[in-house]
């Protein structure tokens, strides 16, 4: 009890506990108070504080915060070894079990405190004035208490129990973090077994965190059930909790009873021992002459020596091999065994396997960057060699660059191994259409370039924060916050989201299509920014034992004046020029319409023109299209005419048009005058000189033009590409009348915009009249006669629809 209280008091004084608590609170607060932030997906019509939501958050956050728990337990268990006080502690008459158990329970208790941020975030988020009261239900304290006692506590205890013996017996923080990845794989494997209905019971019992158990047991709950029920501590859920609590207690018991205060003897190589015995004490030692002249050749030699040493150390480390094996165990079985969804067979085409990689293996690559960046930055300090290493006459930038290249080489090797496994799987399944160029371009160029940007920001965290564990978590938090904060602020430009680039789609027909230019320029933009961050890292790089702000600032100033200043300013100038070019293309030549803006425009369209939805309008009976497609420059020019007929019993005196987006559209009606042209909402009204009588028809001519300009923040017009364009009349032709398809559908979005709930589709009637006039495709045409005159490039084949 004494050691437990001492350890708990220690952690309660540490800022890290409250930083983690604040981070968890802000994450859940954001997900509760804003639709732009999601933790575990969207919950639809379920209350924001429903028991189901609370328990889901606790299940998910138990997995997300595994690194946090690892940091607590590893730091507590290894503190005496890190501070070199273990020999003093072990020589005192301390009870081994009390010492180890107190350390463990103190750190484990402290690791539960940040989890309370989940309940705190939900409670705070629900009382915000902008949160719709209808989306918040009654506060059910039982759900919070049950989640803490039966989800958070057992999960944190299990994570801590696994990390505890690893840290205690290996006395190495790296292996503790590797154990976290192993736990993550166990959870994923248990979840995948739940996809097979015959193995659901096995998934329920073998998931150590109960996440799959909770999902399976509640998958048939109604919205009312999720809003009111708390999963009972009985049946299979109780069995899961008891199984893994028992496993946790067994691991803890083995650890505290088997741990020894005896210091392990370090093995001495026999060869060295024999040499020492044979060397007389009076023997003359010849000290080689050292060349103290440093020039460019010696600098290059130092750089190459450091790079070689770092790369060899990383690639040969048992930790790397273990992480790689763990990741492959998660990915490879599915690679060879998975054949397709819903019992269907899918050919193992290259892009499909690459998508599998993105879904199942890339999280391990993020974990490798997280762990190894800290391992490399702190390597000399962890081994107690920093004072010797830092005193050697080598430029600081060599230390940074060698470690950066070592981690980049690690990622490159892993990507090559993944390509080898993918190609092997394709041949194993008898598939020979191997696209090696797609593997290289996607994995070794696009994805690899993104990983290098993450390496830079991760190394920056370890140089900004003088605590390895806090830096680990700060990097993860940065990734999470950067992923959702811009959506909250309604900013969708990739110029502000670190490492951002346009999403791209690869297809066997069109390759990377229109996405290449945008991806390349955004990568250049962010690489220039990363170069400036690299300069900042070099200025912040720790050399020596002085960690005060004054000493840090002095060393930064010295390195800035020693040669970094001109390089940094040149890169800054190029970055500004590149940013200006990217801005011109994405914000001037093209426009960024955010999600919130789209919702505002849709609501404004409905509020302004819904009154015309019942205004009689003619219907299209015949159409002619003259289409000129220029795929090499992504341009489309359409000239057309529509024959429209008044099918109503009253005369029509005006024509209403909803124009398509992305096109410049001109409408020509010989005997009409345009009385409204709303360019913001793409709505026009033409008043006819002579009303169109029932049964009469007339001709409407139009022209539509589209041509891609520069590159966009995100490609908006994917219908027109280099090869394989696919578009229809809705893309380029003016639509007659008000279009209900342009309205907002979601109930909550409509309420946010001050709109009433959308009317349901009319009930089926035997003798239907006006409510059954429109089909599911269009509200202004039925069966039509269409003539299409289509021209395009010589290497293309044009196909138009029709019978």
């Amino acid at each position: 009890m004494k050691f437990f209280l001492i350890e708990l008091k220690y952690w309660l004084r540490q800022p890290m506990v409250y930083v983690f608590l604040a981070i968890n609170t802000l994450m859940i607060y954001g997900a509760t108070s804003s639709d732009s932030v999601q933790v575990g997906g969207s919950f639809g019509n379920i209350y924001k504080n429903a028991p189901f939501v609370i328990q889901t958050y606790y299940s998910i956050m138990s997995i997300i915060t595994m690194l946090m728990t690892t940091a607590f337990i590893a730091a507590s268990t290894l503190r005496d070894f890190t501070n070199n006080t273990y020999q003093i502690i072990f020589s005192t008459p301390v009870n081994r079990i009390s010492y180890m158990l107190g350390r463990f329970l103190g750190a484990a208790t402290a690791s539960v405190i940040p989890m309370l941020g989940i309940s705190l975030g939900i409670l705070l988020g629900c009382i915000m004035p902008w949160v719709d009261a209808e989306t918040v239900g009654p506060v059910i304290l039982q759900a919070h208490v049950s989640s803490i006692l039966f989800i958070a506590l057992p999960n944190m205890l299990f994570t801590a129990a696994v990390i505890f013996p690893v840290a205690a017996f290996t006395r190495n923080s790296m292996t503790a973090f590797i154990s976290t990845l192993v736990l993550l794989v166990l959870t994923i494997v248990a979840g995948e077994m739940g996809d097979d209905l015959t193995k659901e019971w096995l998934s329920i019992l073998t998931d150590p965190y109960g996440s799959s158990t909770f999902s399976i047991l509640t998958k048939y709950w109604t919205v009312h059930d999720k809003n009111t029920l708390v999963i009972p501590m009985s049946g299979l859920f109780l069995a899961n909790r008891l199984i893994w609590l028992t496993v946790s207690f067994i691991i803890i018991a083995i650890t505290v009873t088997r741990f020894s205060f005896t210091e392990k003897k370090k093995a001495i190589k026999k060869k060295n021992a024999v040499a020492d015995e044979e060397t007389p004490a009076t023997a003359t030692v010849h000290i080689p002459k050292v060349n103290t002249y440093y020039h460019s050749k010696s600098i290059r030699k130092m750089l190459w020596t450091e790079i070689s040493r770092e790369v060899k150390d990383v690639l040969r480390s048992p930790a790397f091999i273990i992480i790689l094996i763990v990741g492959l165990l998660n990915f490879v079985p599915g690679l060879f065994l998975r054949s397709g969804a819903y019992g269907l067979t899918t050919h193992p085409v290259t892009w499909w396997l690459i998508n599998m990689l993105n879904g199942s293996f890339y999280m391990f690559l993020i974990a490798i960057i997280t762990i190894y960046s800290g391992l490399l930055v702190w390597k000399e300090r962890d081994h107690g060699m920093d004072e010797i290493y830092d005193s050697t006459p080598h430029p600081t930038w060599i230390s940074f660059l060698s470690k950066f290249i070592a981690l980049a080489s690690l990622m490159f090797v892993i990507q090559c191994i993944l390509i080898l496994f993918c190609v092997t799987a394709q041949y194993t399944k008898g598939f020979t259409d191997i696209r090696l160029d797609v593997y290289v371009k996607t994995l070794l160029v696009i994805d690899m370039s993104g990983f290098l940007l993450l390496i830079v920001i991760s190394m920056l965290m370890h140089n900004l924060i003088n605590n390895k564990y806090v830096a680990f978590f700060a990097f993860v938090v940065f990734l999470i916050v950067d992923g959702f904060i811009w959506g909250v602020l309604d900013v969708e430009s990739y110029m502000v989201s670190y490492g951002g680039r346009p999403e791209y789609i690869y297809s066997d027909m069109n390759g990377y299509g229109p996405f290449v230019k945008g991806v390349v320029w955004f990568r250049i933009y962010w690489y220039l920014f990363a170069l400036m961050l690299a300069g900042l890292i070099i200025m912040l790089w720790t050399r020596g034992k002085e960690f005060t702000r004054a000493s840090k600032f002095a060393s930064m100033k010295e390195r800035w004046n020693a040669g970094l200043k001109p390089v940094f300013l040149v890169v800054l100038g190029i970055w500004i020029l590149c940013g200006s070019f990217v801005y011109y293309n994405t914000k001037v030549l093209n426009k960024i319409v955010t999600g919130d803006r789209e919702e505002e425009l849709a609501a404004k369209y409905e509020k302004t023109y819904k009154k015309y939805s019942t205004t009689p309008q003619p219907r299209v009976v015949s159409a002619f299209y003259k289409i000129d497609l220029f795929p090499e420059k992504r341009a489309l020019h359409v000239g057309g005419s529509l024959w429209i007929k008044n099918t109503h019993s009253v005369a029509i005196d005006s024509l209403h048009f909803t124009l398509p987006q992305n096109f410049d559209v001109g409408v020509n009606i010989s005997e009409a005058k345009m009385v409204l042209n709303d360019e913001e909402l793409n709505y026009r009204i033409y008043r006819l000189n002579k009303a169109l009588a029932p049964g009469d028809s007339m001709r409407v001519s139009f022209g539509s033009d589209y041509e891609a300009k520069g590159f966009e923040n995100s490609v908006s017009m994917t219908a027109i590409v280099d090869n394989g364009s696919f578009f229809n009349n809705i893309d380029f032709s003016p639509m007659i009348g008000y279009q209900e398809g342009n309205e907002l559908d979601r109930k909550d979005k409509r309420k946010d915009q001050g709109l009433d709930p959308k009317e349901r589709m009319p009930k089926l009637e035997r003798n239907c009249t006006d409510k059954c006039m429109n089909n599911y495709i269009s509200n202004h045409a039925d069966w039509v006669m269409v003539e299409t005159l289509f021209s395009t490039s010589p290497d293309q084949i044009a196909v138009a629809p029709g019978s």
Side-chain angles (χ1 to χ4, degrees), residues 138 175 219 239 253 255 325 346 693:
T175 53
K219 68 179 180 179
T255 305
I325 292 173
T346 302

Side-chain angles (χ1 to χ4, degrees), residues 590-591 634 662 706 712 714-719:
N590 301 283
K591 302 296 181 183
R634 295 186 61 227
N662 301 315
Y706 170 81
E712 301 174 81
S714 293
V715 178
S716 58
M717 191 64 176
T718 56

Side-chain angles (χ1 to χ4, degrees), residues 374-550:
L375 178 70
L376 290 171
V377 172
W378 288 80
K379 185 171 74 171
E380 285 77 23
R381 279 179 277 180
D382 286 343
H383 293 165
M385 296 291 294
D386 52 318
E387 293 182 72
I388 299 174
Y389 179 76
D390 293 340
S391 65
T392 59
H394 69 276
T396 303
W397 61 266
I398 287 183
S399 298
F400 161 72
L401 189 59
S402 60
K403 296 176 188 297
F404 174 83
I405 292 176
L407 191 46
S409 302
L410 185 68
M411 305 303 291
F412 179 82
V413 169
I414 293 174
Q415 294 289 75
C416 291
I417 292 173
L418 293 176
I419 292 175
L420 178 63
F421 273 101
C422 287
V423 172
T424 303
Q426 287 176 305
Y427 277 116
T428 301
K429 295 186 176 185
F431 189 79
T432 57
D433 185 17
I434 313 296
R435 305 289 178 92
L436 285 176
D437 61 319
V438 178
Y439 283 121
V440 172
K441 292 175 183 177
T442 304
L443 300 184
L444 299 181
V445 178
I446 299 176
D447 293 349
M448 184 69 186
S449 62
F451 293 139
L452 297 183
L453 291 172
L454 293 181
I455 292 172
V456 172
I457 202 71
S458 182
M459 295 183 73
L460 176 64
M461 291 295 178
H462 285 279
N463 282 277
L464 281 173
I465 304 170
N466 195 36
N467 185 302
K468 181 164 62 175
Y469 302 109
V470 176
F472 279 143
F473 201 72
F475 173 63
V476 175
V477 170
F478 171 83
L479 296 182
I480 295 172
V481 172
D482 187 60
F484 73 76
I485 190 64
W486 305 115
V488 175
L489 299 176
D490 196 30
V491 176
E492 295 186 6
S493 174
Y494 291 117
M495 293 184 71
V496 297
S497 176
Y498 180 75
R501 58 157 177 78
E503 295 295 327
Y504 68 92
I505 300 172
Y506 174 84
S507 70
D508 290 336
M509 176 180 288
N510 190 47
Y512 295 94
F515 306 97
V516 175
K517 189 180 293 185
V519 170
V520 169
W521 274 106
F522 272 101
R523 276 288 185 255
I524 294 173
Y525 169 80
W526 281 112
Y527 261 78
L528 291 169
F529 184 77
L531 279 175
M532 291 187 289
L533 291 183
L536 180 60
I537 293 172
I538 293 171
M539 287 191 290
L540 289 168
W541 197 269
T542 300
R543 292 187 73 163
K545 290 295 185 182
E546 292 292 333
F547 300 121
T548 62
R549 291 182 181 178

Side-chain angles (χ1 to χ4, degrees), residues 603-618:
K604 189 175 181 181
Y605 175 82
E606 181 175 351
K607 292 175 182 178
T608 307
Y609 300 114
K610 180 72 172 180
K611 58 188 177 183
Y612 297 126
S613 61
T614 57
T615 301
Q617 290 291 290

